[in-house]
């Protein structure tokens, strides 16, 4: 894939999982450059539809919300509301902690925690983490973020009771591999995933970005696929919902 927005490889160590962003068993990280590239492609699709933002964004398989937190840190001037959900209640605590870093209170709390580690252990890694936290703090100055909500939900079961206003962007890194697999009673989780997010997307001004391993077929009758790329072991597709005819 050729990068259109994140043309240069930057140093993303400030975003490293476990440094300032929290990590835990059962959660995964996501390449920062790729996350930023994909969300900017989503912004571009919405702009072309006449929607200038700020936008609402939802990850229905959020894990520890690493992807959403990185996006929120880098692009909070363009995002108003974040929703995050996962079927696994055990990862939602980490998701909430990561998403708290998008607020002044949350990042200050993390800074105090790292300062305490420095007092206790005086390790070089904690000193550099504090420097990263200071730089991430400056990322959220000028943020347009109004709300951040994390909740438990099975995306294949259409059981959402939390999102009342339809969203502009659904972005998700689908479960695959050894650490995280689909958990669902559905006979076809991928089809049910598409069906369920269709009902949550704003009909005209919305875009769906799906990242997956190469084994999953990224297509569905209710969506028009508008971009498709391969990036190493992953594939990524952007979709727009096809309007239901009356
Ligand atoms: C690849 S991980 C996502 C990682 C996340 N993007 C991040 O940045 O931390 C996939 C997630 O899908 C979740 N998952 C599996 N089946 C699900 C389902 N039916 N509904 C919602 N989430 C599900 C897993 O619990 C896992 O956390």
């Amino acid at each position: 894939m050729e990068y259109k927005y994140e043309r240069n490889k930057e140093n993303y160590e400030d975003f490293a999982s476990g440094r300032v962003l929290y990590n835990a068993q059962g959660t995964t990280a996501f390449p920062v450059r790729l996350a930023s590239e994909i969300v900017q492609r989503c912004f571009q699709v919405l702009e072309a539809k006449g929607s200038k933002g700020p936008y609402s964004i939802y990850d229905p398989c959020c894990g520890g919300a690493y992807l959403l937190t990185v996006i929120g840190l880098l692009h909070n001037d363009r995002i108003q509301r974040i929703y995050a959900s996962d079927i696994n209640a055990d990862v939602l605590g980490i998701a909430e902690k990561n998403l708290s870093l998008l607020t002044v209170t949350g990042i200050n709390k993390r800074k105090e925690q790292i300062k305490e580690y420095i007092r206790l252990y005086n390790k070089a890694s904690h000193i550099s983490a504090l420097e990263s936290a200071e730089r991430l703090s400056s990322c959220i100055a000028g943020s347009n973020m109004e709300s951040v909500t994390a909740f438990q939900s099975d995306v294949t079961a259409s059981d959402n009771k939390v999102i009342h206003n339809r969203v502009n962007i659904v972005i998700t890194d689908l479960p695959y591999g050894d650490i995280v697999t689909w958990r669902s009673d559905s006979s076809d989780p991928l089809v049910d995933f598409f069906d369920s997010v269709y009902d949550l997307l704003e009909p005209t001004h919305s875009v769906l970005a799906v990242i997956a391993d190469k084994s999953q077929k990224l297509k569905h009758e209710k969506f028009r696929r508008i971009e498709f790329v391969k990036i190493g072991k992953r594939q990524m597709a952007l979709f727009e919902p096809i309007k239901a005819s009356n």
Side-chain angles (χ1 to χ4, degrees):
M1 180 190 75
E2 202 176 320
Y3 283 80
K4 292 187 200 165
Y5 298 97
E6 294 294 338
R7 286 174 184 270
N8 302 316
K9 244 189 186 166
E10 305 285 342
N11 178 349
Y12 294 110
E13 65 181 14
D14 289 344
F15 301 89
S17 181
R19 189 181 176 102
V20 180
L21 275 76
Y22 302 86
N23 69 2
Q25 214 183 0
T27 63
T28 55
F30 191 85
V32 177
R33 183 183 181 202
L34 183 57
S36 183
E37 172 74 20
I38 294 171
V39 80
Q40 287 178 88
R41 289 185 184 204
C42 292
F43 296 155
Q44 197 274 326
V45 170
L46 293 171
E47 276 166 20
K49 291 172 185 282
S51 172
K52 301 260 175 282
Y55 307 112
S56 50
I57 184 166
Y58 174 39
D59 182 351
C61 299
C62 72
Y66 184 86
L67 176 65
L68 281 178
T69 305
V70 163
I71 289 173
L73 287 166
L74 290 170
H75 299 288
N76 50 64
D77 54 329
R78 313 216 51 191
I79 297 169
Q80 199 167 33
R81 278 189 295 279
I82 290 186
Y83 298 98
S85 68
D86 200 283
I87 195 167
N88 181 2
D90 295 342
V91 295
L92 286 173
I94 292 294
E96 281 169 357
K97 278 165 107 177
N98 274 328
L99 292 167
S100 77
L101 300 173
L102 302 175
T103 65
V104 175
T105 314
I107 193 97
N108 284 344
K109 191 171 166 198
R110 183 59 163 152
K111 279 194 248 176
E112 287 310 312
Q113 192 179 36
I114 298 170
K115 281 181 193 163
E116 183 60 17
Y117 294 149
I118 295 172
R119 272 192 291 275
L120 290 172
Y121 311 110
N122 197 28
K123 275 193 183 173
S125 59
H126 293 139
I127 295 169
S128 357
L130 185 59
E131 288 164 4
S132 290
E134 295 292 355
R135 285 190 288 272
L136 295 183
S137 272
S138 59
C139 287
I140 57 168
S143 167
N144 265 320
M145 202 72 70
E146 283 180 6
S147 68
V148 174
T149 311
F151 57 101
Q152 187 182 14
S153 174
D154 175 357
V155 69
T156 66
S158 297
D159 64 353
N160 161 66
K161 289 179 193 71
V162 175
I163 301 179
H164 302 299
N165 296 317
R166 288 176 178 230
V167 297
N168 302 113
I169 302 171
V170 169
I171 183 166
T172 203
D173 180 22
L174 292 179
Y176 50 82
D178 304 328
I179 305 177
V180 278
T181 45
W182 277 115
R183 287 196 200 177
S184 176
D185 293 334
S186 160
S187 57
D188 196 338
L190 189 57
V191 169
D192 289 340
F193 156 81
F194 276 107
D195 270 323
S196 146
V197 297
Y198 181 86
D199 294 333
L200 296 171
L201 283 164
E202 211 275 329
T204 317
H205 298 122
S206 65
V207 59
L208 164 66
V210 184
I211 303 112
D213 68 336
K214 288 181 181 158
S215 70
Q216 306 194 63
K217 262 214 176 98
L218 299 184
K219 60 179 193 175
H220 188 272
E221 60 187 11
K222 290 184 180 168
F223 288 90
R224 187 173 299 111
R225 199 164 83 176
I226 51 178
E227 269 193 52
F228 178 74
V229 288
K230 290 184 178 165
I231 324 110
K233 59 182 179 161
R234 297 182 169 90
Q235 54 176 337
M236 189 284 291
L238 296 187
F239 299 89
E240 58 185 17
I242 296 170
K243 272 194 225 164
S245 50
N246 297 319

